[in-house]
């Protein structure tokens, strides 16, 4: 053991194998891959192997199909991979390597005279060459064959070389077929040469190319013909079919990838009317599919300058482009509607569909203006009904309240500009407004709703101390509120307080419109619709306006004729008066019950209307303005009078008897269904009041005074001085069986 610095060292172990750096002797065994050929193993067949008859039949049937096995290249199959690569390298063509250019090569210069120059010269002397030439021709002159002109090839000889026929390139269709355009243009060669000369002379100057067309929607695309090519087709059916294919392909591309597609189909080109209809309707379908479920606002200057990610920038560009294209589409629709062209009906239908389906999107007010403007005419047709149905759809499906408010504002402005001279059905759309009573917040029937006043601070309670915030904290709090507001808008949450405020504004505009129609010095055809609206929303009218409103209704009843009305028939006048009576009782049926207001004037007015109605032959005809018949309004008014508003209020017996007597007297001239309703009403009055049973008796009795049927005051008519003999006459002599049965029930009435 060796000793190093006083310490013993162990000897290293002897190496068991060869060292890493020591080279091993190469093995003499040759690998199979290194051989040029690998022999194919041969299977020796057993002599004892038996072949069945089925094998012979199979070989006889399919023996010719396997004959290619005998012609296989056994050498190529047995060749190894390394040998195959070597043969491929040998068979590759060798590229000519460029020799490097030498500055000083070994070749003699062309100006030097070499010693072997004599050996390179020809053995023919100059004198011999001169002898062969003609005597009159010198060596410097041109030979005769050099002066002879060249002969041109026949293919080059064109009878009209100035013009050449150039055919257009073929186009490839969407299904892969190649189709020739069939267009050919003759090019003047002289003009071309002159142009080339001009270009060659002005090579130094920059060439100004014509700018490309800005409208690329009409240009040809890959796999599609250009719009101009489609429009120039000779056959109209081929033009329509080609246009259908192109429009369908464009719409499919836009629907697959809206951000990369252009949702503007080619427009502004003189086109067939049917193709234009297809293009407009196809754009409508595309916009309905790609319009997002939110409103796109315009970017501020700050947002335009700030840096955003590539995805956000791409989304912004797509949204702003979509808004621009959608605006152009609406402008084209509006232009067609205003021009009253052949496409006006289709364009109006498209605008109505957009207003119904994408009410939340941009340019909603523009669509409302176009739809409401169509309703400003006095005439009524299918397009007017379409616009009315669109407004009703918007009112019914409005949850936020803003579209309804905007539409009522537009409608109110239009009616004022037309001086209330519009069709009465226009106001019928306002009956479908979703106001507070239909959204779960019902008005109180017992008290007037007022804003709750903030409670004063009671003694003994400490005031809440506001937390002091720095400017930075206030700024952060303000930013957080704005972020929360944006989140609510993104989640499409409806703010209950904001919706209530919008509905309150809508209700104010509605009642202002109704009251202006009522106070108009010249009543118009809108009066029945306004009365129906007040009757429908009467529970929302402020109590402070009740007395003034009832006074206006009394003045309307006293008017005998409607001045300058579209249809001043007696039936319309009677219906307007009946509506005034119904509206007055509806006002006091809700929160007006707490008021002690006597409606005797309205009751007397209804009593005086029954006698003229006995001669009305159209009493059961439904009116297009009120959508009800005169009989319906009459019995609705009677029910409002004799149905007590509270348990304490009851009608006196003389009033019930007077109305029963006059109603049965008028029913002698009415049609059967109206007579049946009159008998049923009188039957109810008799069941409520015992004193009226005496009117059913036909026996002679002593009475105070006489009955006065001509008096229009029910209290002064003295109805108990007569009897209801009309019941027995109807029971015995009326032609309608239902009338006779109902009269029999009333005549044989006995109180249980």
């Amino acid at each position: 053991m060796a000793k190093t610095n006083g310490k013993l060292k162990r000897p290293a172990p002897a190496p068991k194998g060869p060292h890493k750096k020591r080279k091993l002797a190469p093995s003499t065994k040759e690998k199979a891959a290194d051989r040029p050929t690998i022999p194919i193993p041969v299977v020796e067949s057993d002599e004892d192997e038996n072949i069945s008859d089925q094998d012979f039949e199979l070989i006889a049937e399919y023996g010719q199909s396997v004959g290619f096995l005998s012609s296989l290249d056994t050498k190529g199959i047995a060749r190894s991979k390394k040998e195959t690569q070597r043969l491929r390298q040998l068979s590759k063509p060798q590229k000519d390597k460029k020799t490097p250019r030498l500055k000083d090569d070994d070749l003699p210069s062309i100006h030097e005279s070499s010693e072997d120059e004599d050996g390179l010269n020809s053995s023919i002397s100059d004198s011999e060459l001169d002898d062969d030439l003609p005597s009159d021709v010198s060596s410097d002159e041109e030979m005769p064959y050099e002066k002879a002109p060249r002969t041109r090839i026949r293919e080059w000889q064109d009878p009209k070389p100035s013009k050449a026929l150039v055919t257009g390139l073929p186009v490839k269709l969407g299904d892969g077929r190649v189709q020739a355009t069939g267009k050919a243009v003759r090019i003047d060669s002289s003009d071309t040469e002159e142009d080339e000369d001009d270009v060659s002379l002005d090579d130094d100057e920059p060439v100004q190319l014509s700018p490309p067309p800005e409208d690329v929607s009409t240009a040809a695309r890959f796999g599609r013909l250009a719009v101009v090519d489609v429009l120039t087709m000779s056959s109209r059916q081929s033009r329509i079919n080609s246009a259908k294919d192109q429009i369908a392909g464009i719409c499919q591309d836009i629907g697959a990838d809206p951000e990369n597609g252009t949702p503007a189909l080619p427009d502004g080109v003189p086109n067939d009317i049917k193709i234009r209809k297809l293009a407009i309707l196809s754009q409508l379908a595309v916009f309905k599919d790609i319009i997002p479920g939110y409103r796109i606002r315009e970017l501020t200057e700050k947002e335009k300058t700030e840096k955003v990610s590539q995805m956000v920038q791409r989304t912004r560009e797509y949204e702003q482009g979509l808004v621009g294209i959608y605006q152009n589409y609406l402008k084209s629709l509006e232009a067609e509607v205003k021009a009253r062209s052949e496409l006006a009906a289709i364009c109006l239908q498209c605008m109505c569909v957009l207003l119904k389906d994408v009410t939340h999107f941009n340019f909603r007010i523009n669509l409302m203006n176009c739809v409401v403007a169509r309703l400003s005419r006095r005439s009524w047709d299918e397009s007017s009904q379409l616009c009315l149905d669109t407004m009703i759809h918007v009112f019914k499906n409005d949850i936020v309240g803003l579209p309804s408010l905007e539409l009522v504002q537009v409608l109110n402005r239009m009616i004022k500009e037309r001086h209330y001279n519009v069709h009465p059905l226009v106001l019928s759309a306002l009956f479908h407004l979703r106001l507070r009573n239909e959204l779960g917040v019902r008005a109180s029937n017992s008290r007037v709703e007022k804003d709750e006043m903030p409670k004063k601070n009671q003694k003994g309670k400490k005031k809440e101390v506001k937390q002091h915030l720095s400017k930075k904290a206030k700024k952060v709090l303000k930013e957080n509120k704005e972020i929360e507001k944006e989140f609510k808008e993104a989640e499409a949450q409806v703010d209950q307080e904001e919706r209530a405020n919008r509905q309150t504004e809508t209700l104010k505009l509605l009642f202002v419109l109704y009251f202006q129609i009522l106070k108009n010095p010249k009543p118009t055809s809108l009066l029945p619709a306004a009365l129906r609206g007040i009757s429908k929303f009467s529970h929302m009218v402020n109590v402070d306006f009740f007395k003034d409103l009832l006074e206006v209704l009394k003045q309307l009843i006293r008017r005998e004729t409607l001045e300058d009305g579209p249809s001043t028939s007696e039936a319309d006048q009677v219906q307007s008066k009946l509506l005034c009576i119904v509206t007055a009782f509806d006002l006091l049926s809700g929160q007006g019950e707490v008021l002690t207001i006597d409606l005797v004037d309205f009751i007397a007015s209804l009593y005086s209307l029954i006698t003229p109605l006995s001669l009305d032959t159209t009493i059961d005809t439904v009116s297009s303005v009120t959508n009800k018949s005169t009989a319906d309004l009459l019995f609705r008014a009677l029910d409002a009078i004799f149905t007590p508003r509270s348990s304490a209020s009851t009608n006196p017996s003389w009033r019930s008897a007077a109305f029963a007597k006059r109603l049965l007297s008028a029913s002698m001239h009415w049609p059967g269904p109206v007579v049946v309703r009159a008998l049923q009403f009188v039957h109810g009055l008799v069941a409520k009041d015992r004193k009226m049973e005496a009117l059913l008796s036909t026996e002679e009795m002593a009475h105070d005074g006489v009955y006065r049927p001509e008096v229009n005051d029910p209290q002064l008519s003295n109805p108990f001085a007569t009897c209801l003999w009309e019941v027995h006459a109807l029971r015995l002599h009326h032609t309608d069986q239902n009338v006779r049965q109902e009269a029999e029930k009333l005549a044989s009435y006995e109180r249980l």
Side-chain angles (χ1 to χ4, degrees), residues 616-688:
D616 188 5
T617 57
T618 60
I619 190 172
D620 56 345
T621 304
V622 178
S623 174
S624 60
V625 178
T626 59
N627 202 19
K628 290 184 179 180
S629 63
T630 306
D632 295 335
L633 295 176
L634 173 62
F635 287 104
R636 183 182 174 187
L638 290 172
D639 291 336
I641 292 174
F642 291 97
T643 300
R645 290 179 288 166
S646 61
S647 58
S649 60
T650 56
N651 289 286
S653 301
W654 52 265
R655 181 179 296 170
S656 301
F659 271 93
K661 178 61 178 176
R662 178 161 286 196
L663 194 62
L664 289 176
S665 299
S667 63
M668 301 294 291
H669 310 280
W670 286 342
V674 183
V675 177
V676 171
R677 296 178 67 177
L679 291 171
Q680 291 175 351
F681 179 77
V682 173
H683 193 281
L685 294 179
V686 174
K688 290 179 182 178

Side-chain angles (χ1 to χ4, degrees), residues 62-81:
Y62 300 103
Q64 297 179 357
S65 301
V66 296
F68 70 93
L69 297 176
S70 59
S71 61
L72 291 177
D73 186 10
T74 56
K75 292 183 179 180
I77 296 174
R79 191 178 297 120
S80 64
K81 182 179 180 182

Side-chain angles (χ1 to χ4, degrees), residues 263-267 276-288 290-291 321-337 343 346-355 358 361 363 366-367 370:
L265 297 178
D267 197 4
R276 294 183 65 190
K277 286 182 180 180
L278 292 174
I280 290 173
L281 295 175
S282 300
Q283 280 181 294
L284 172 65
V286 169
F287 279 121
K288 285 176 60 179
I290 67 176
I291 282 179
L322 177 62
V323 170
I325 296 171
Y326 183 64
Q327 184 180 13
N328 295 333
Y329 177 66
L330 294 182
K331 286 182 179 179
S332 63
L333 295 181
E334 185 178 1
E336 295 290 342
V337 172
L343 298 174
I346 296 294
C347 294
L348 183 63
Q349 183 180 358
C350 293
M351 297 177 79
C352 292
V353 172
L354 289 174
L355 183 57
V358 291
F361 199 58
F363 309 110
N366 301 79
L367 292 172
C370 295

Side-chain angles (χ1 to χ4, degrees), residues 686 689-699 701 703 719-720 722-724 728 749 751:
V686 174
D689 196 346
R690 287 179 176 271
K691 294 182 179 180
M692 291 191 62
E693 295 181 6
L695 297 176
L696 297 176
S697 177
T698 56
E699 297 179 358
M701 292 184 295
H703 300 287
F720 286 105
T722 182
C723 64
L724 301 179
H728 300 279
Y749 173 77
R751 189 177 299 275

Side-chain angles (χ1 to χ4, degrees), residues 414-600:
M414 183 271 293
I415 293 175
K416 289 181 180 178
E417 291 176 354
R418 296 285 297 172
H419 303 288
Y420 309 99
N421 195 13
V422 297
H423 200 277
L425 289 177
V426 175
L427 288 184
S428 63
L430 299 175
F431 302 154
H432 302 276
L433 279 169
R434 296 185 62 180
L435 297 178
R436 290 182 295 176
N437 63 332
E438 296 188 10
L439 292 173
V441 185
R442 297 185 61 186
S444 176
N445 294 330
S446 59
R447 63 182 179 85
V448 181
E449 292 184 349
K450 295 182 179 180
D451 297 335
E452 296 183 359
M453 301 296 293
K455 295 182 180 180
K456 296 182 179 180
N457 185 27
Q458 299 178 0
K459 295 182 179 180
K461 291 186 178 181
K462 296 182 179 180
K463 295 182 179 179
E464 295 182 0
V465 181
K466 294 183 178 180
Q467 186 179 1
H468 176 71
L469 298 175
S470 61
K471 291 184 178 180
K472 188 175 182 181
K474 289 180 180 179
K475 185 178 179 181
V476 172
L477 183 62
K478 185 178 179 181
E479 291 177 354
N480 292 337
K481 288 183 179 179
E482 292 179 356
I483 293 173
E484 290 178 359
K485 184 179 179 180
E486 291 180 358
F487 274 126
K488 287 182 179 180
E489 292 178 357
E491 294 175 0
Q493 293 181 354
V494 181
D495 190 357
Q496 299 293 336
E497 183 179 357
E498 188 176 359
R499 181 178 61 182
N501 294 334
R502 291 170 180 170
Q503 290 173 353
T504 302
E505 293 296 326
T506 305
L507 193 62
K508 288 180 181 178
L509 289 173
L510 187 65
F511 282 126
V512 166
L513 177 62
Y514 286 156
F515 294 161
Q516 287 177 348
I517 294 173
L518 293 181
K519 289 189 175 183
N520 193 22
K522 295 181 179 180
T524 63
S525 59
L526 298 179
L527 181 60
L531 292 172
R532 287 181 61 197
I534 295 175
S535 177
K536 179 177 178 61
F537 302 108
S538 59
H539 60 283
M540 296 183 179
V541 181
N542 194 349
V543 182
D544 299 335
F545 299 113
F546 275 19
K547 291 184 179 180
D548 297 334
L549 190 56
L550 291 175
E551 189 65 29
V552 173
L553 293 176
K554 289 179 184 178
Q555 295 177 4
L556 291 175
I557 293 175
R558 295 191 190 104
R559 289 178 181 173
E560 295 182 358
T561 58
L562 296 175
E563 300 176 1
D564 299 335
S567 56
T568 56
S569 62
E570 187 177 356
D572 294 336
Q573 298 173 16
V574 172
Q575 284 199 358
S576 299
K577 294 179 180 180
L578 290 174
L579 281 173
C580 291
I581 297 171
V582 171
T583 303
F585 279 93
D586 287 342
L587 283 173
L588 299 180
S589 62
Q591 51 188 348
E593 291 180 356
V594 296
L595 303 177
T596 56
I597 299 177
D598 194 2
L599 300 178
V600 178

